[in-house]
Amino acid sequence: MPPIEDPQRYERIERQLARADLELGAAEVHGLLCGLFCTRQKDAQQRWLDQLLAQTADNDLLVSECRRALDELYRQTKSEFDDPGLGFRPLLPQDDEPLQQRAKALSEWCQGFLYGLGVSGLQQDRLSTQTREALEDLAQITRVDVKGLEASEQDEEAFSEVSEFVWVAAMLLFHDLGGENA
């Protein structure tokens, strides 16, 4: 997977979401957006913001600041998806964060991604068998129990492999849906 240009992006989005009293974390918010991008939604930004900010007051300063951060995340993520080199990468905590925190965020990213697909009205019968299986695997990742993870080399390696799989599954879906809703 390509490296993230801004290592603090995850933490900044987390803080903005918390300040605005939004219940979702940065990983889930990003997963939702990526699910919408994968299905080529022309109104992805509006759908995304509607899902995130529907219960907030328009005149709340902290929500306005959060919206600006989300607008920037949208632009960065769109740029990553538009890049022919596929610079996209799930937004997760940095590698120096505890493994349980990173695994929980990956699970939440998958949950957001699947929700984004659902919001977009994705019809699974139009997908390849391989892509449907990948979606089932992503659903399994949302149910992972992170409490038993340890900071061992074996668990770190397993996390790395699952993270890579998530990226590949998202790209598979993105390519599988190349003409849909475009």
Side-chain angles (χ1 to χ4, degrees), residues 60-128:
D60 185 316
L61 179 62
L62 295 175
V63 171
S64 295
E65 289 176 6
C66 182
R67 183 183 178 107
R68 282 192 292 278
L70 292 172
D71 286 342
E72 179 62 24
L73 179 61
Y74 172 85
R75 284 190 295 279
Q76 291 169 342
T77 305
K78 183 172 183 348
S79 174
E80 292 169 356
F81 270 91
D82 289 344
D83 180 6
L86 294 175
F88 154 77
R89 179 178 172 174
L91 183 61
L92 301 172
Q94 291 297 300
D95 291 341
D96 59 351
E97 296 297 328
L99 178 60
Q100 288 182 350
Q101 181 182 348
R102 289 181 285 135
K104 182 177 185 284
L106 183 62
S107 173
E108 291 170 353
W109 189 93
C110 292
Q111 184 173 337
F113 183 77
L114 293 171
Y115 183 72
L117 298 177
V119 167
S120 72
L122 175 69
Q123 296 179 4
Q124 288 195 29
D125 60 338
R126 301 182 78 182
L127 301 175
S128 69

Side-chain angles (χ1 to χ4, degrees), residues 2 12 27 30 39-40 45 47 58 60 85 89 144 159 175:
R12 273 199 318 275
H30 189 253
T39 57
R40 310 295 208 276
Q45 184 175 20
R47 283 183 184 223
D58 290 337
D60 185 316
R89 179 178 172 174
V144 70
F159 173 78
H175 289 295

Side-chain angles (χ1 to χ4, degrees), residues 12-80:
R12 273 199 318 275
I13 297 297
E14 277 286 301
R15 282 191 304 273
Q16 289 293 336
L17 293 167
R19 286 180 189 146
D21 280 334
L22 298 178
E23 294 181 18
L24 300 178
E28 192 168 2
V29 162
H30 189 253
L32 171 59
L33 177 59
C34 292
L36 291 167
F37 276 144
C38 281
T39 57
R40 310 295 208 276
Q41 296 297 305
K42 288 182 168 94
D43 61 346
Q45 184 175 20
Q46 190 59 52
R47 283 183 184 223
W48 182 56
L49 291 173
D50 287 348
Q51 292 296 314
L52 300 177
L53 304 175
Q55 304 299 319
T56 61
D58 290 337
N59 59 352
D60 185 316
L61 179 62
L62 295 175
V63 171
S64 295
E65 289 176 6
C66 182
R67 183 183 178 107
R68 282 192 292 278
L70 292 172
D71 286 342
E72 179 62 24
L73 179 61
Y74 172 85
R75 284 190 295 279
Q76 291 169 342
T77 305
K78 183 172 183 348
S79 174
E80 292 169 356

